[in-house]
Amino acid sequence: MTVRRIGNATIEKVEELCAAGFRPNRMFPRFDQQAFDAQKHWMVPVHVEPGSDRLVGSVHTWVVKTGRHTILIDTCLGNDKQRHNAAWNNLSLPFLDRLRACGCPPESVDFVMCTHLHVDHVGWNTRLENGRWVPTFPNARYLFAKREYAHWESERARQGEGKVNDGSFDDSVLPVVEAGKAVMIDSDHQPDPMLTIRDYPGHTPGSIAINLENGGKRACFSGDIMHHPIQVYHPDWSSQFCSDQEMSARSRRKLLEDCVESNVLLCPAHFPGENAGYIKPEGNSFRIEWDKQ
Ligand SMILES: [Zn+2]
């Protein structure tokens, strides 16, 4: 995988899996076929599966090395986790080997950051050891947005044990808290001089984006504020997984405007392959220019 530079820092994407998933009319309640077809020429085959039109998405971690710290942003699905989604159930993937191959053994990680606490962003927080879930990264502090954690904690109280986010809160978040490795943060928290956090609620109540800034360059790890590049062109298309459709659309537009204004390299959580890009204005909307490496 490609190593990108932001000043003196490096960023690298480590993929857990990549596959075609939902059809766009199922993914986006505001889907419009004509608007989708207008962008298909560049989306097929990398972002849209030929023939079926299913959206291609990857699940990956961003590895950030600032020189002072090694940071993982979002931790995918994890191994051995029991999930209702068959494609995500009981995985046994060499994700940690892939991390090691890019110079990131588990013990080297200083901070784990989750843009939000959905099942596909917390999985490698823990691994199974002698029947127990233990933190995968033994020397890391896990930074959870206070508002996000509080939301899912109260959902758990309401829905019951093992029910929240397909069980992931119980097997991938709570064991970290119980091991004393979690730090609940507000958006003014700065784990490293190069990192800042911004709130973009809507996909989930406490979704954050993480900015990396150095040497006059900035990258933004935006989690699921966008799932698919079609949302750059249609920022009002929130996904069916957004807890607040309107708020999510407002957050998405705000983030895209910020990317345009500051020439930010946008690094989302589910764009496949090597894809990250720069956002440009286009009419009342936006387009993406891929960062060629
Ligand atoms: Zn996700």
Side-chain angles (χ1 to χ4, degrees), residues 84-150:
H84 287 99
N85 179 342
W88 292 357
N89 184 44
N90 207 21
L91 296 176
S92 182
L93 295 169
F95 177 77
L96 293 182
D97 292 340
R98 291 178 198 156
L99 272 185
R100 282 189 195 94
C102 73
C104 185
E107 51 281 3
S108 73
V109 177
D110 299 296
F111 298 112
V112 174
M113 301 180 77
C114 300
T115 58
H116 61 298
L117 297 180
H118 274 163
V119 56
D120 53 325
H121 296 258
V122 299
W124 278 103
N125 285 359
T126 59
R127 62 184 175 81
L128 199 55
E129 187 183 80
N130 301 322
R132 286 182 55 237
W133 296 109
V134 300
T136 307
F137 307 100
N139 301 317
R141 296 271 152 209
Y142 291 67
L143 311 184
F144 299 138
K146 209 177 271 178
R147 193 186 340 185
E148 179 75 355
Y149 184 85

Side-chain angles (χ1 to χ4, degrees), residues 178-207:
E178 282 159 9
K181 303 279 190 186
V183 182
M184 304 300 164
I185 59 166
D186 289 310
S187 51
D188 60 358
H189 184 83
Q190 231 185 327
D192 183 284
M194 294 187 196
L195 292 176
T196 52
I197 294 160
R198 287 189 196 180
D199 293 316
Y200 288 100
H203 177 60
T204 60
S207 278

